[in-house]
Amino acid sequence: MRRFLALVFVSLLGTLAGAQAPSPAKPPEMREIMDRVLQRAKWEGEARLDARYTYRQKRTVDRLDSDGKITEHTVMLFDVIPAGNDTIFRMIEKNGRPLTPEEQRKEAEKEAKRESLRKARKQGDDEVTLNQELLSRYNFTYAGAEPVNGRRALVIKFSPKPGALPENRRMDRVLNRLQGTVWIDEATYAIAKADVVLTEPVKFFIGLGAVRALRFTIDMSTVDGQWLLPRETAVSYDARALFSTVRVNQHSEYSDYRLVATTTEKR
């Protein structure tokens, strides 16, 4: 989950699910819900699910002009491969056709540059981990229960706590301005779905860059009858870098999960 959140949002996620349990007559207290979510997240991190599966990602990227019209539409197919503490996104198709030798060469060069950047980047600077420190930034409200992909889920609304929140990292500026809804699988307390938005613009680089709008959604599905893994994600953002503006809608579908290591015992 930790690495998935960092890669997409960066950040925000792969979760696991066990067998369904009978629904309680009433939901537990909010503190109990979040304690169970943290316990599940800790177990997921120890399970290293992101290092156990390879899969396919179909990524559709639309670049928009100031009027919201699409100026560039690209569809890419990736083989996603775990590699130690990193993940390799290897493009195999672009706009419905295999890559040419020249495109393959350029992709290899990009991967080498990404690897160099990963090594040079301050460790943990962009990492998002579901832990007590992260949850302490928000107020949570129980909003009922509803089915998500055939499983009962607890609906939790969240928003930033008022007042000054710690901003020791660049990512903290974003985290402190997020609100939305998460759906918690009632049987396992894994995240089954999320819808998150930025409440206000975030400035970077002494005002020379900013994220003016951001929305992130994720929908999970059951894999191998026991794990919740990403089925679909969507990210839309409006950002400014120096004197240019970037508006992007990105939608990804995940499929063909293949086990590359022995999983831990089902919970």
Side-chain angles (χ1 to χ4, degrees):
M1 176 177 179
R2 177 171 54 212
R3 184 183 309 150
F4 187 81
L5 283 172
L7 291 171
V8 175
F9 181 119
V10 102
S11 278
L12 286 164
L13 341 162
T15 49
L16 314 175
Q20 281 279 36
S23 299
K26 65 177 183 178
E29 297 294 327
M30 181 56 62
R31 182 172 180 177
E32 183 180 352
I33 293 175
M34 303 320 295
D35 283 347
R36 292 188 183 186
V37 169
L38 289 176
Q39 291 171 10
R40 186 67 184 192
K42 183 176 183 294
W43 181 66
E44 290 169 1
E46 294 171 349
R48 289 293 311 278
L49 189 66
D50 51 1
R52 296 174 182 273
Y53 281 91
T54 182
Y55 55 92
R56 285 280 174 89
Q57 180 193 36
K58 181 182 179 182
R59 185 188 305 171
T60 301
V61 180
D62 289 328
R63 295 185 179 274
L64 314 175
D65 62 17
S66 58
D67 296 322
K69 296 180 180 179
I70 297 175
T71 60
E72 183 180 343
H73 175 79
T74 308
V75 180
M76 296 164 284
L77 187 63
F78 294 86
D79 273 335
V80 186
I81 306 165
N85 292 324
D86 292 316
T87 302
I88 297 173
F89 288 79
R90 183 166 296 157
M91 191 192 303
I92 57 175
E93 285 186 10
K94 185 174 182 180
N95 294 329
R97 59 168 179 76
L99 299 187
T100 65
E102 177 63 15
E103 287 172 331
Q104 291 177 359
R105 183 186 65 79
K106 290 181 178 180
E107 283 299 308
E109 290 178 353
K110 288 180 182 179
E111 178 57 36
K113 290 180 180 179
R114 284 192 291 266
E115 177 64 21
S116 297
L117 288 173
R118 281 194 292 266
K119 291 180 179 179
R121 185 188 305 132
K122 181 180 178 181
Q123 186 174 8
D125 188 54
D126 292 330
E127 194 171 272
V128 179
T129 303
L130 181 52
N131 55 24
Q132 184 60 56
E133 191 277 334
L134 176 64
L135 297 188
S136 68
R137 299 172 186 265
Y138 306 104
N139 289 322
F140 296 90
T141 304
Y142 176 72
E146 60 187 41
V148 175
N149 295 325
R151 298 171 66 93
R152 182 179 164 91
L154 306 177
V155 184
I156 308 297
K157 304 282 187 180
F158 72 93
S159 59
K161 288 183 176 178
L165 295 171
E167 293 188 348
N168 300 317
R169 310 174 303 158
R170 179 177 58 182
M171 181 58 69
D172 290 342
R173 300 183 187 181
V174 175
L175 295 175
N176 290 343
R177 294 164 177 82
L178 295 178
Q179 70 177 23
T181 306
V182 291
W183 287 258
I184 306 298
D185 184 81
E186 190 178 45
T188 64
Y189 287 86
I191 296 175
K193 184 179 175 181
D195 187 351
V196 182
V197 297
L198 193 66
T199 60
E200 62 183 41
V202 178
K203 293 183 179 181
F204 297 107
F205 310 119
I206 318 179
L208 296 179
V211 179
R212 297 184 290 198
L214 170 70
R215 182 172 186 178
F216 171 79
T217 63
I218 184 169
D219 191 7
M220 315 294 277
S221 62
T222 305
V223 174
D224 287 345
Q226 55 183 325
W227 315 119
L228 276 181
L229 292 171
R231 180 180 68 85
E232 189 174 9
T233 61
V235 180
S236 60
Y237 62 88
D238 182 335
R240 176 173 56 82
L242 294 176
F243 304 107
S244 63
T245 296
V246 179
R247 294 182 177 90
V248 173
N249 291 337
Q250 178 175 305
H251 177 266
S252 295
E253 299 174 7
Y254 305 84
S255 63
D256 197 18
Y257 282 97
R258 300 181 299 277
L259 192 65
V260 295
T262 304
T263 61
T264 57
E265 182 180 354
K266 178 167 53 175
R267 283 179 62 162

